[in-house]
Amino acid sequence: MKNSKIFLTLLAAGSLFTACNDLDQMPNSSSVTEEQKKDVMEQNPDLAAAGVNALPEQLNAFYTQFENHIDFGLTSVFLSQDCRGMDMVSANVGYNWYTPALEMSDFNGLYFLNLNTWYFNYYTIRSANAVLAGISHDTENPELMYYLAQGYTFRAYCYFNLAQMYAFTYAKDPNALCVPLVTDTNMEEVGVNGCPRATVKEVYDQIISDLTEAIRLFELAAEAGDDRYTMNSASPAIAKTFANATVAYALRARANLFRVDYQAALADADKALELCDAEGLAPISATQASVPGFDDLDSPNFLWGVYADPSLTRYSRSIVTWASHATGFQTNGYCGAGTYRRCNKKLYESIPSSDVRKNWWLDAAGNPPSALPSNYANFIKTGYAEAGNEKFDPYATVKFGAPDDMPSVSGAIDYPWMRVEELYYIKAEAMGYVQGATAGATFLTNSFVKPFRNSEYRINPTSADELREAIWQERRVEFWGEGLAYADLQRLQKTIDRRGGGFPSAFVIVVAPDDWVRLYDIPSSEIERNPLIVDGTHGAVQPTPVPDEE
């Protein structure tokens, strides 16, 4: 019998614990049991640290899958999903590695954009399972509780990511097939026999269960003084690459919103915002948001994310970076070769001039916003040519900054996996369905949008559905380029309509919410090796371009 490819690697994950410590072998070379390994961990918690430290690194892995120029972790996955939607425009040129996402030919189980999504998440699930399998779950050691909580949080996050691309939304059909659920309790059996696809509901139940246990453990560990800041006191720059109770509540709020449990989403968003306040996390001001940024993990609005270490060569000159593909300010990057990421023309035009987020893109004539600092404005006007780059396109993004606010060959900019601002939108949407549209609209207007983004913001929804529509339009702008747009299109079952958005003719498509091309097929290699996978392909067809409109 052929064994499942992803699941065979799960069995090897113990090496995260054993590579330096030989925990699989007694001094006389006889094998040790899992319980004996747990006993060793209990006596020396530092032995578990290597496995936990691997979790954020695996999501940000570099050249580990296909060794091509989009092989740089989850940030590449999110960029491909943004390109699949209708708000991020870019040119149809040879240097655009994300063309398959733009034309939606990447759905099949052989294409690397699909495989990146599958493997970056499942390899991290493998490592999370190894952490969870190696530590006794009834431990009273606060360090080990902290490590377990990391394992649960990262696993939940990865399953959430997978659920967005391999099944339609929970509200459409919670009993539809999603992805295989591999945990620390079944991974050995799965490695031998394979694993069937779980339903969407089962996947979300696992996500909620994992985050609930993570919250309990994080809170117990924090009571003893072990949190992501104290545990990373020697390397404070990476502290927020790890989770804590704030992150776990925020992720559970997101998951509950996506599974349409508004009461639970509201409670979790409230608690997460309370914890943000205690942790010193908050939205950035209108002034801060009016200039390039969203590139510093230490920013108070970053809950959790990627730290791009400027001392590493993968950032210092490499073009295999998110900055290279997504911003025009890495001077040797792919955007400068003509693949600038641009805002959908209709979306840009819908943003009022009173909204500071209008400054996140060049205007229709390609002029930089007046608030743009001179280091950036000069590069857009003339510096691009001196660097040998193509001229910036109209509507090109300037949302994301450059290291030290100076365009250069460095791609060392951080990336958010979750920002504080998202909690305001989750809370407002949930309030609309729990307390009424007026309550949700008042909270969103007075607590976030007016003080932090648009002083003239006004909405008057007459129903929760109208409020949700207004929030979706807000989220399209606020989280542009951060990997949330496609998940929202799926969650809200929106038609992808690129007409009038400024897309090249080959990318002007209209895709219905129930079109199978909206999903990825299960990777072909997984279907071949996992005998329990059924209905892994959907018979999708690449969309045919349609006539554009102004």
Side-chain angles (χ1 to χ4, degrees):
M1 178 184 295
K2 293 180 179 178
N3 289 314
S4 169
K5 186 175 181 181
I6 59 168
F7 305 128
L8 283 174
T9 59
L10 288 164
L11 297 179
S15 62
L16 292 171
F17 293 99
T18 63
C20 298
N21 302 302
D22 294 326
L23 293 182
D24 284 326
Q25 299 293 319
M26 297 288 279
N28 61 3
S29 295
S30 60
S31 297
V32 299
T33 66
E34 288 300 317
E35 289 306 312
Q36 287 173 316
K37 283 194 279 187
K38 290 177 182 178
D39 288 342
V40 173
M41 294 291 184
E42 194 72 34
Q43 296 170 32
N44 189 354
D46 287 346
L47 294 176
V52 173
N53 290 339
L55 296 175
E57 288 301 314
Q58 285 197 293
L59 283 182
N60 191 36
F62 174 76
Y63 256 46
T64 58
Q65 305 293 342
F66 305 102
E67 297 187 359
N68 61 24
H69 285 196
I70 59 170
D71 188 359
F72 52 89
L74 201 61
T75 53
S76 180
V77 170
F78 287 154
L79 183 52
S80 68
Q81 290 174 14
D82 277 333
C83 289
R84 276 191 137 238
M86 61 185 188
D87 292 338
M88 181 178 279
V89 182
S90 55
N92 183 18
V93 295
Y95 282 115
N96 195 342
W97 280 83
Y98 295 91
T99 292
L102 286 153
E103 66 186 12
M104 284 193 164
S105 64
D106 61 336
F107 65 87
N108 71 70
L110 296 171
Y111 207 82
F112 48 72
L113 293 178
N114 178 343
L115 300 181
N116 274 350
T117 304
W118 185 267
Y119 288 118
F120 278 124
N121 284 292
Y122 266 116
Y123 284 160
T124 306
I125 289 168
R126 170 200 65 189
S127 295
N129 284 338
V131 169
L132 296 170
I135 302 172
S136 174
H137 288 212
D138 59 3
T139 183
E140 296 182 358
N141 185 304
E143 283 188 53
L144 293 178
M145 290 179 182
Y146 169 84
Y147 292 143
L148 285 171
Q150 296 295 342
Y152 281 119
T153 305
F154 275 87
R155 185 169 73 183
Y157 181 57
C158 290
Y159 275 125
F160 180 87
N161 294 336
L162 290 164
Q164 309 318 308
M165 296 306 299
Y166 294 96
F168 287 118
T169 186
Y170 191 102
K172 178 177 173 63
D173 183 3
N175 296 313
L177 292 179
C178 190
V179 295
L181 270 178
V182 189
T183 69
D184 54 300
T185 61
N186 73 349
M187 61 182 186
E188 291 190 12
E189 176 188 349
V190 167
V192 175
N193 299 316
C195 187
R197 298 172 69 189
T199 65
V200 174
K201 181 181 185 302
E202 289 168 338
V203 172
Y204 273 90
D205 286 348
Q206 184 68 53
I207 292 166
I208 298 298
S209 174
D210 280 356
L211 291 172
T212 300
E213 183 64 2
I215 288 167
R216 183 185 75 84
L217 291 164
F218 275 132
E219 290 176 340
L220 288 171
E223 288 175 6
D226 290 328
D227 60 29
R228 63 181 178 178
Y229 301 104
T230 60
M231 297 294 284
N232 294 286
S233 58
S235 303
I238 68 169
K240 287 204 286 186
T241 67
F242 295 95
N244 63 0
T246 312
V247 172
Y249 272 112
L251 287 175
R252 198 172 69 176
R254 180 192 282 180
N256 278 319
L257 185 74
F258 275 64
R259 70 170 186 161
V260 206
D261 187 340
Y262 294 116
Q263 190 76 54
L266 177 57
D268 283 339
D270 263 333
K271 182 62 177 179
L273 284 169
E274 175 190 323
L275 292 175
C276 283
D277 187 58
E279 198 175 333
L281 304 175
I284 57 173
S285 69
T287 299
Q288 292 170 310
S290 67
V291 297
F294 303 93
D295 59 349
D296 184 359
L297 188 58
D298 196 42
S299 175
N301 68 329
F302 272 44
L303 274 177
W304 191 37
V306 172
Y307 172 63
D309 186 343
S311 70
L312 298 179
T313 55
R314 67 171 288 188
Y315 296 116
S316 61
R317 291 188 66 85
S318 172
I319 60 174
V320 188
T321 67
W322 185 82
S324 167
H325 288 277
T327 82
F329 298 134
Q330 183 173 342
T331 58
N332 61 340
Y334 275 101
C335 283
T339 68
Y340 294 105
R341 307 298 161 184
R342 314 194 301 265
C343 188
N344 180 305
K345 176 184 174 183
K346 285 184 175 180
L347 179 62
Y348 177 84
E349 291 175 346
S350 74
I351 304 170
S353 59
S354 57
D355 193 324
V356 298
R357 292 170 295 193
K358 193 106 177 179
N359 293 318
W360 292 356
W361 299 277
L362 306 188
D363 66 15
N367 298 313
S370 60
L372 197 66
S374 60
N375 286 348
Y376 294 107
N378 291 339
F379 183 76
I380 290 168
K381 294 174 181 177
T382 60
Y384 75 90
E386 296 167 11
N389 291 347
E390 298 292 325
K391 185 178 179 180
F392 277 70
D393 295 324
Y395 308 112
T397 187
V398 293
K399 174 182 179 180
F400 304 99
D404 300 318
D405 285 322
M406 180 63 71
S408 72
V409 296
S410 174
I413 64 172
D414 302 337
Y415 181 91
W417 284 335
M418 195 168 194
R419 287 200 279 120
V420 174
E421 289 89 344
E422 185 180 348
L423 292 168
Y424 288 85
Y425 289 108
I426 293 173
K427 179 176 178 178
E429 184 174 334
M431 284 181 74
Y433 287 98
V434 175
Q435 300 175 10
T438 300
T442 300
F443 169 78
L444 181 66
T445 301
N446 296 336
S447 296
F448 177 63
V449 183
K450 283 189 72 172
F452 293 105
R453 297 294 185 266
N454 179 5
S455 61
E456 298 180 13
Y457 186 71
R458 300 284 189 280
I459 51 171
N460 295 291
T462 59
S463 68
D465 286 349
E466 274 190 28
L467 173 62
R468 186 174 68 176
E469 185 73 13
I471 289 172
W472 173 55
Q473 294 298 328
E474 272 286 307
R475 286 171 63 103
R476 291 174 68 188
V477 177
E478 178 69 27
F479 303 112
W480 187 97
E482 297 180 41
L484 290 177
Y486 193 78
D488 271 349
L489 288 168
Q490 297 292 82
R491 173 173 72 95
L492 301 173
Q493 302 180 68
K494 295 289 186 180
T495 296
I496 295 173
D497 187 348
R498 296 181 181 164
R499 292 174 296 182
F503 284 85
S505 59
F507 302 153
V508 178
I509 55 176
V510 178
V511 185
D514 59 352
D515 193 317
W516 286 106
V517 80
R518 301 275 291 256
L519 303 183
Y520 280 160
D521 288 345
I522 302 295
S524 301
S525 58
E526 193 56 38
I527 294 174
E528 292 170 3
R529 292 171 174 81
N530 185 346
L532 301 184
I533 291 285
V534 297
D535 297 330
T537 59
H538 309 111
V541 177
Q542 180 180 332
T544 301
V546 300
D548 204 356
E549 61 185 36
E550 290 299 323

